[in-house]
Every structure is written in structure tokens, then in C-alpha cells.
Amino acid sequence: MTSPHAPAPDELAALRRRYRLERERRVRPDGARQYRPTEAEFGYYAADPYAEEAAGREPLHDTVDVAVVGGGFGGILAGARLRQQGVQRVRIVEKGGDFGGTWYWNRYPGIHCDIESHVYLPMLDETGYVPEWKYSPGEEIRRHAVRLAEKYGLRPDALFSTAVTSLTWDEASETWIVATDRGDAFRATYVVTATGTLSEPKLPGIPGIEDFAGHTFHTSRWDYGYTGGTPDGGMKGLAGKRVGIVGTGATGVQVIPMLAEDAGHVYVFQRTPSTVDVRANRRTTAGDVGADRDGWARERRDNYLRIVSGEPAEQDLVADSWTHSAGLLEKLLPSFRRQGDRKAFEAAYEAADASKMNELRGRVERTVTDPDTAERLKPWYRYACKRPTFSDKYYPAFNRGNVTLVDTADTHGIERITEHGVVVGDTAYELDCLIFATGFSVGTSGIHSGKLPVHGRGGTQLLHAWAQRGPRTLHGLTSNGFPNLIQMGSLQNASSVNYTHILDEQAGHAAALVAAAEAAGALVEPSREAESAWVAELAEDAPDHEWFHAECTPGYYNREGRGRPNGPTAYPHGAFAFHALLERWREESIGGILRPRTVRAPAGRWGARGAGLGAWWGVGGGGGRRG
């Protein structure tokens, strides 16, 4: 790893001291406890503003082939890949009013994806759809989710505005009993959980939050009834209003320029500034991305994954800020990059990191005209300490006379909220509207938080089974004692900045497991030995990133300054290699996860099997662990 403008040793030493000082300004003694889930005490922050009033219906007590928990891209992709295997009854259960997941909930002004649309939107080859922009607006993404669900016939059996409250394995029938908050208790031969990593909005635990008499909402539940307008702007309801927004992460960076255009005055309450790199969004044509040939989207998506996973690639098809800075993602996305001399690698990595961060701080200086504001917007930490953001409108917004940046680092955030506004230090800011752009409890699904209890063989609860030795899975997807349960998510498998690619690979794998079990009249359940072997493989080459994140500014990557979670959580050689490993495993070892049924089900009861298996088992090939 080389840097074109590598800092001198004394410059690096000065940067380390500055980073440490800025970190200490922001560390809070309560850590992650500073946040509270919206549903706990303030349910109105989590209410669904987009759904029509849920129609009354009788509780369901029927049987389906597969129940899928979650109607975002993970659940939709699972349903689509199961359909390709011939599965007849797939029931998606979703607490939102329609398909879309994160993109159903997040409809705030300015919303776009920060991953190129041609690699982010899944199944473009299968649908023939070509995104209009390099970075899609949220509504285009939501409509694509609905398009996939409609194409694969997932709506008729779906249950919306419905939350799963428990999953219970019934030994007598060898089926799962799926209970919901609307009185359902139906059965499913298989359950796929796709509850996502961005499903539970959170609020800061600021004293007095319940006392504010003005209008307030969370960005994931944008109130257009109050603001007026659409995600494209035009919020006439904010004319002349004093609007405060808490949070300057990926959401805040997109929302704040839109508020600046329409509100009377905007107060931006910032604890830690984000890195804000070039966006350079533009319209694209099919010719720009090679969409005139078969398999173009898969080729582009795989190329992107190669580059951000540290694999060699002859060409960078996406060529954006993510791929240009891919070498700095190693502390977030384990890869092959760290092979070789550790000391030399870390020295080169730090130099490249400093060069990139100097570039980003220089962008602030060149754009923001007020020196004091510019200084407070500069990010003083290592590149991989926080998720990068991208915007060409964020910094110019602070040159407007109706935008005020309020830095809260030295007061450890907002001190309190009153009936009339927000207090920071000795200053009270009177507000008409207070908006929380404070994100989600990242990586926390209902299953892992305990809100959705899962009871397997003998009534054992999944979290209890993991309490002693930590999570035990095979490939992050299946667990001993929980037959026919397939968990999609980020635990003990692969991670990437393009999460829909990860989900699509998991969906294809889940469909292959179900197809193999049906063909054999068997159950899907790994042995304890297989689990132990997988956990050991994750630990064998797990990178030591604890020291890096311990020195980072507080955020959700390091549990608000408390460090990364202990234990192996991801495949240590990157997503591209992990997908190749899964492909080999399906070809050579899938039979080892099948157990005989006690209750006999007819083999091949869904008709001819494996129609799409060959195509799916080929996805992600070409990589692999070296050595």
C-alpha cells in the first residue's frame, strides 16, 4: 500500500496526538447506554406514517412451506430464490405496511444510496431493469424491492403491519409455529429470518426529551404531513420555522442540505463530524454500464466486491470514492491485504490513511467559508473509524445564513431538552421542530436482542444456547438444535459495504439448503462438531483490530468507545473468498447438514428440484482462500 503524499513521521505523531485528544472529548461514561430504542418509551417515534390503517383480519392457523421473517431485500431475495427452486407457499411477515425494509421506512428528503445503484440493486439481470442514476434515490430503490416481490409472486401470502413475536419448534410435527402480534399461530416447514441490521430506530437518552412541546420525529418516520414536500424537497411547511436536527451521520449529511433550502433556520447539533467525500451523482445510460449484454450486472457486482474485498481486479468498473479508498477498508472488512510483514503493512496503512484524511479535511477548508465552522466540521480520526459519507451539497449548506452548526463535543452531546428547545452549554436554542437523525441499533435484530424469542429442540431458547460460549453457527446461517431455521444477517459469515450482495448470496444458499432437504426428505441442521469447526476457522486467522477501534472516536463501530465485540464475527478473508467457500461446500458437503426426518414428508413434493440450483451455485466463483 502506497500513498502519493505520505506524511513525514513527525506529522504522523502529531496526528496521533490530535486524534487521541478529539476522541477523549467525545467519550461518554454511559457508552451505548446513551441511546434508547424508540419503541421502549416513545412508541410514537416508531409508528408507521406510511401505511394505511391495518385492515382487520382473522388470525391465521394454516401451514406454509417457508415463513420468511422480514420484508426488506433480505426477505424478498430469499423468497425469490426459493421460488426459483419451485417452493410453492412462501409467506413473508413484515411489520411495515409493504415491502422494502430499510427503504420502506427511510423516505427522508434527499435520501439516496451511497453504493452505486448498478451493484446495489439486486437481480437486475433477472428483471432487465437498468437504474437511471449512478446513485439511486430511495424511492427508486423501494420500487425495485416491490418490483421483485411482484415478479416472484410474494404478495398474496405476505402479512404486512404484522410482527413475529415468537418462533417455536414443534417436535411432533417437525414444523415451526410462527406467532405474531395479530394473533396468528401458523406453521412452516422452514423459517428464514431476514430481520436486517437496520431495523430498530434509536433515540439519544437526552433528559427532557418527553417535554418538548414543538413537533418532533425520527428521520426513519419522516412526517411529510408536517413538513410538506417530498423526498425531492419543497417542504413548504417549514417556511419560517426554526428546525433542529440531531445527528450528522449518513442520514444527516443527506437531510441537512434539504432542510437548509426550505426551513427558516436550521440548527445542526453535531457531536462528531463525518468524513464527507465526493458524491458526483449523475444520470447513466445502459451503454454507460454495459447493460446491453447478458450478465452485465453480475459482472459489475462481482468486480466491485473483488475490489472492496482486497482481491486483484484488472479493471475498476464502478470507479468511485469507495473503490478508490478500498485499501483503507481493511479494518472494517477483513481481507487478504494484511498478508506479509505486519509492521510494514501497518506503517503503509497509516500513511495512506493520513493522506486520505488530510485530503478530506482539505475539502472542508476549500468549501466552507467561515473558518470556525470549517474547523468544527473537520474529521479528526482514522478513515475506518466511522462509515464514510458522500455529498456535494453538505458543506456548501453551512455557507448559508440560515444554517448554524452547534458543536456538542465538549458537553458530551445535548445537555437537555426543554419545552421550547435544546440546551447546549450556556445556550438555549428555541425550536419549532426537532428531528432525530440518530440512526438505528446497528446489527441488532429482534432475535439477537431477545425481542423475538426462538425456541428449538426441547424448548431451548436460541440466546440461552449461546449464552455460555457465544454464538454457534455453521457459516452464520444454521445452528444445532434449531432444525430448518436459516438466519440471514451479518453474524459469522461475510461483510461488505454492499450488503445487498451479501444478502443475495445468503438467499441463494438458503434456497439451496431447502432444495437439498426437500429432495432428501430431510431436516437442515448442522452437528455441534460442524459448528465448532466453523467457529474455530473464523478464529484461526481473525485479524487483531481491537487496538485500532479502541483508539477510534466513539461510534457504533466500536460500541461508543468500548471497543469491538469479542470473538470472531466475520469470515477473516473477505466476502469474495467466503462466497467461493460456500460454493465449494454446496458442491461437496451439503449432505452433511441433512438429518433424517421423524415425520416423513414426500421427497420432491414441490415437483422437479434444482432447476435453478446450478445457476445459483455458480455465483461468487473465482475467488477463494489462498494457501
Side-chain angles (χ1 to χ4, degrees):
M1 186 185 305
T2 59
S3 171
H5 305 291
D10 58 336
E11 293 179 87
L12 287 175
L15 269 182
R16 292 186 204 114
R17 290 193 295 270
R18 180 66 184 270
Y19 289 171
R20 192 173 303 115
L21 174 65
E22 295 291 340
R23 177 188 185 278
E24 292 306 312
R25 291 178 63 207
R26 294 170 172 86
V27 174
R28 290 173 53 122
D30 51 357
R33 296 192 307 277
Q34 68 188 274
Y35 296 104
R36 62 183 80 178
T38 56
E39 296 176 2
E41 299 174 58
F42 310 106
Y44 55 86
Y45 279 104
D48 188 345
Y50 314 120
E52 298 179 4
E53 186 174 349
R57 62 172 176 80
E58 292 297 317
L60 298 179
H61 300 280
D62 56 351
T63 300
V64 298
D65 298 320
V66 184
V68 180
V69 184
F73 273 124
I76 293 167
L77 289 167
R81 298 309 181 186
L82 287 163
R83 280 281 194 258
Q84 291 177 335
Q85 295 298 333
V87 180
Q88 298 299 311
R89 294 205 67 187
V90 178
R91 173 170 291 156
I92 291 179
V93 185
E94 164 59 38
K95 66 181 180 180
D98 202 350
F99 295 107
T102 295
W103 300 102
Y104 173 84
W105 296 112
N106 281 310
R107 306 190 195 191
Y108 54 79
I111 182 170
H112 282 68
C113 186
D114 62 6
I115 305 296
E116 191 200 62
S117 58
H118 307 94
V119 299
Y120 182 80
L121 294 184
M123 301 187 80
L124 294 178
D125 290 321
E126 291 87 340
T127 60
Y129 182 70
V130 181
E132 184 179 357
W133 292 85
K134 187 171 178 67
Y135 302 98
S136 287
E139 183 61 11
E140 182 181 30
I141 300 171
R142 188 189 69 81
R143 288 178 178 172
H144 186 67
V146 173
R147 178 184 300 115
L148 291 179
E150 299 285 1
K151 176 179 174 64
Y152 290 97
L154 301 176
R155 187 175 293 280
D157 272 321
L159 301 179
F160 297 115
S161 300
T162 303
V164 175
T165 54
S166 68
L167 299 170
T168 305
W169 177 251
D170 179 47
E171 294 280 4
S173 63
E174 292 187 330
T175 60
W176 285 94
I177 301 172
V178 183
T180 78
D181 62 353
R182 297 185 66 177
D184 305 301
F186 64 89
R187 294 177 181 269
T189 307
Y190 304 87
V191 169
V192 178
T193 62
T195 52
T197 60
L198 299 174
S199 59
E200 297 189 12
K202 66 183 182 182
L203 290 171
I206 302 171
I209 192 171
E210 66 276 12
D211 297 330
F212 182 61
H215 201 77
T216 182
F217 54 87
H218 192 277
T219 49
S220 67
R221 308 292 192 271
W222 194 273
D223 189 352
Y224 285 105
Y226 175 81
T227 67
T230 70
D232 294 324
M235 294 176 283
K236 295 181 179 179
L238 297 182
K241 299 287 180 62
R242 300 161 299 181
V243 179
I245 181 166
V246 181
T248 54
T251 297
V253 164
Q254 295 186 92
V255 169
I256 288 163
M258 306 297 286
L259 292 175
E261 291 181 7
D262 295 330
H265 200 96
V266 181
Y267 294 93
V268 179
F269 297 98
Q270 168 193 276
R271 181 182 66 165
T272 307
S274 290
T275 59
V276 186
D277 211 337
V278 173
R279 163 71 80 177
N281 199 10
R282 63 183 184 275
R283 290 187 182 275
T284 56
T285 67
D288 292 336
V289 294
D292 54 347
R293 63 183 187 279
D294 291 340
W296 71 273
R298 180 180 297 176
E299 177 188 3
R300 194 176 186 88
R301 188 176 69 169
D302 284 350
N303 173 265
Y304 182 84
L305 186 67
R306 273 185 178 275
I307 292 170
V308 297
S309 297
E311 299 279 352
E314 294 182 1
Q315 184 181 5
D316 181 354
L317 295 177
V318 172
D320 67 358
S321 294
W322 280 111
T323 59
H324 292 162
S325 301
L328 298 178
L329 300 176
E330 199 275 334
K331 301 304 183 190
L332 296 176
L333 308 174
S335 69
F336 291 107
R337 296 187 188 93
R338 64 183 183 280
Q339 288 186 338
D341 182 80
R342 168 73 178 272
K343 186 175 181 180
F345 171 84
E346 292 296 346
Y349 185 94
E350 184 180 23
D353 186 301
S355 178
K356 179 64 180 178
M357 293 303 292
N358 283 338
E359 172 194 322
L360 293 171
R361 287 186 286 266
R363 188 178 188 226
V364 181
E365 285 188 354
R366 292 190 303 272
T367 309
V368 180
T369 55
D370 177 64
D372 290 338
T373 302
E375 188 61 32
R376 285 178 284 154
L377 286 169
K378 289 180 183 178
W380 294 100
Y381 46 80
R382 303 273 296 261
Y383 186 77
C385 285
K386 294 178 72 69
R387 183 179 175 93
T389 70
F390 308 88
S391 175
D392 299 327
K393 299 179 179 180
Y394 182 68
Y395 290 140
F398 291 93
N399 294 332
R400 301 175 63 109
N402 69 328
V403 177
T404 299
L405 178 66
V406 182
D407 188 84
T408 69
D410 290 324
T411 57
H412 297 293
I414 294 170
E415 292 182 67
R416 67 184 184 277
I417 296 175
T418 69
E419 181 181 359
H420 302 292
V422 165
V423 177
V424 178
D426 297 328
T427 305
Y429 299 88
E430 292 196 0
L431 304 172
D432 300 297
C433 178
L434 180 58
I435 301 169
F436 291 97
T438 45
F440 297 81
S441 298
V442 177
T444 302
S445 69
I447 291 175
H448 297 151
S449 69
K451 291 182 179 179
L452 172 51
V454 179
H455 296 274
R457 291 188 187 276
T460 301
Q461 188 171 336
L462 183 66
L463 290 186
H464 294 168
W466 289 353
Q468 297 299 318
R469 296 189 296 166
R472 314 290 291 181
T473 72
L474 176 60
H475 302 142
L477 294 158
T478 57
S479 291
N480 179 264
F482 299 86
N484 288 2
L485 175 68
I486 303 170
Q487 297 188 65
M488 297 174 65
S490 57
L491 177 69
Q492 294 188 348
N493 43 59
S495 56
S496 175
V497 296
N498 185 17
Y499 194 53
T500 56
H501 190 170
I502 300 296
L503 290 173
D504 204 2
E505 295 283 350
Q506 292 181 7
H509 189 75
L513 292 175
V514 170
E518 282 299 305
L523 301 174
V524 175
E525 184 180 2
S527 66
R528 291 183 178 180
E529 292 75 17
E531 287 181 332
S532 296
W534 179 244
V535 173
E537 184 169 353
L538 294 178
E540 181 181 2
D541 294 320
D544 177 16
H545 290 166
E546 180 71 18
W547 64 271
F548 179 91
H549 290 282
E551 296 175 358
C552 279
T553 191
Y556 65 80
Y557 279 170
N558 66 358
R559 297 186 299 173
E560 297 298 330
R562 299 296 178 90
R564 300 276 276 185
N566 293 325
T569 59
Y571 184 66
H573 299 293
F576 199 83
F578 177 71
H579 296 159
L581 178 150
L582 283 188
E583 181 184 1
R584 292 193 301 271
W585 182 88
R586 290 192 295 264
E587 292 172 350
E588 301 169 1
S589 307
I590 197 168
I593 202 174
L594 304 180
R595 291 193 176 199
R597 283 182 176 272
T598 302
V599 179
R600 289 294 175 187
R605 60 189 165 129
W606 296 328
R609 316 304 299 156
L613 215 57
W616 258 103
W617 286 10
V619 170
R625 178 176 173 178
R626 300 188 181 92

